[in-house]
């Protein structure tokens, strides 16, 4: 009996290996894409977090297809308005990891730089850096935030401005030095 079971197991492994070898390695398998899609649409935020933190997030996200990707971006954008901090952070991370944080989200992302939660502010700053702002009206908004009484808001705005190619660095540093740290 053991020999037959061992032979059966060997055959299964060989067929699975050959099937995997014939598969296109640049695209994730369909079962992984479907599981990923299900995880992104789960009600449990921990499940969504695990999907968003997946090491191959961008590759699997791209395999979702245009319609699903657009639906997911709309869902992430909707999550930015959630009263829950974790939802905002997950949405920001998903937007950044997907590479789908777009210029039309900039006003909402700048508003999130005022969020009392440090993680949300830093995630919004990271999303803004990924977008690499160049619009002059957005740069002026970020400069206004450098005068905010909260040093965390100033730091997030400075972080974004420093990452931008269009913003002069010395005035940013001068404004940061001019304001004392929060107590």
């Amino acid at each position: 009996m053991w020999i037959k079971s061992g032979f059966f197991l060997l055959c299964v492994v060989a067929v699975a290996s050959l099937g995997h070898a014939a598969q296109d390695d640049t695209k994730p398998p369909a079962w992984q894409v479907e599981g990923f899609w299900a995880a992104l649409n789960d009600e449990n935020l921990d499940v969504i977090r695990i999907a968003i933190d997946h090491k191959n997030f961008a590759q699997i996200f791209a395999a979702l297809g245009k319609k699903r990707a657009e639906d997911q971006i709309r869902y992430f954008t909707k999550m930015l308005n959630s009263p829950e901090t974790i939802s905002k952070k997950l949405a920001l991370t998903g937007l950044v990891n997907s590479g789908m944080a777009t210029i039309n989200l900039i006003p909402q992302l700048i508003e999130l730089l005022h969020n009392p939660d440090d993680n949300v502010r830093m995630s919004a700053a990271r999303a803004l850096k990924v977008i690499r702002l160049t619009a002059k009206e957005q740069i002026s908004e970020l400069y206004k935030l450098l005068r905010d009484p909260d040093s965390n808001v100033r730091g997030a705005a400075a972080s974004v401005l420093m990452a931008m190619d269009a913003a002069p660095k010395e005035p940013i540093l001068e404004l940061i030095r001019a304001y004392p740290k929060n107590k």
Side-chain angles (χ1 to χ4, degrees):
M1 181 70 178
W2 170 249
I3 295 173
K4 290 180 182 178
S5 298
F7 180 72
F8 176 73
L9 182 62
L10 178 67
C11 289
V12 168
V13 169
V15 168
S17 296
L18 290 174
H20 179 70
Q23 177 184 331
D24 181 7
D25 284 337
T26 60
K27 289 176 58 176
W31 62 265
Q32 188 177 28
V33 174
E34 293 306 314
F36 179 76
W37 177 246
L40 286 175
N41 289 288
D42 199 281
E43 291 180 10
N44 186 332
L45 294 177
D46 287 332
V47 173
I48 296 170
R49 181 187 50 77
I50 290 168
I52 288 172
D53 289 341
H54 192 280
K55 65 179 179 163
N56 295 330
F57 180 92
Q59 180 186 20
I60 301 170
F61 191 85
L64 287 175
K66 185 177 180 179
K67 168 119 176 55
R68 282 182 171 180
E70 288 171 353
D71 290 346
Q72 192 59 46
I73 295 306
R74 277 193 288 281
Y75 181 64
F76 285 151
T77 303
K78 183 179 169 187
M79 286 174 67
L80 291 176
N81 296 320
S82 170
E84 296 177 1
T85 298
I86 186 69
S87 293
K88 289 178 183 175
K89 185 168 178 342
L90 287 173
L92 289 164
T93 303
L95 287 166
V96 168
N97 291 354
S98 69
M100 301 294 276
T102 60
I103 201 157
N104 62 345
L105 290 174
I106 292 171
Q108 202 169 2
L109 295 173
I110 288 176
E111 184 61 36
L112 287 172
L113 292 177
H114 291 285
N115 192 286
D117 186 272
D118 217 20
N119 289 321
V120 171
R121 275 194 312 275
M122 291 305 117
S123 295
R126 188 169 149 236
L128 286 165
K129 284 181 197 176
V130 168
I131 295 171
R132 296 267 184 209
L133 299 174
T134 56
K136 289 182 182 177
E137 64 276 0
Q138 304 306 332
I139 291 174
S140 66
E141 280 300 311
L142 289 166
Y143 270 107
K144 287 178 192 172
L145 291 178
L146 291 174
R147 291 181 172 84
D148 194 278
D150 186 341
S151 65
N152 294 313
V153 173
R154 291 192 310 272
S159 173
V160 174
L161 285 165
M162 294 297 278
M164 293 170 53
D165 298 329
K169 308 303 182 234
E170 197 53 40
I172 297 169
L173 297 173
E174 288 302 316
L175 279 167
I176 293 170
R177 289 183 204 121
Y179 283 88
K181 290 202 179 274
N182 289 349
K183 294 180 181 172

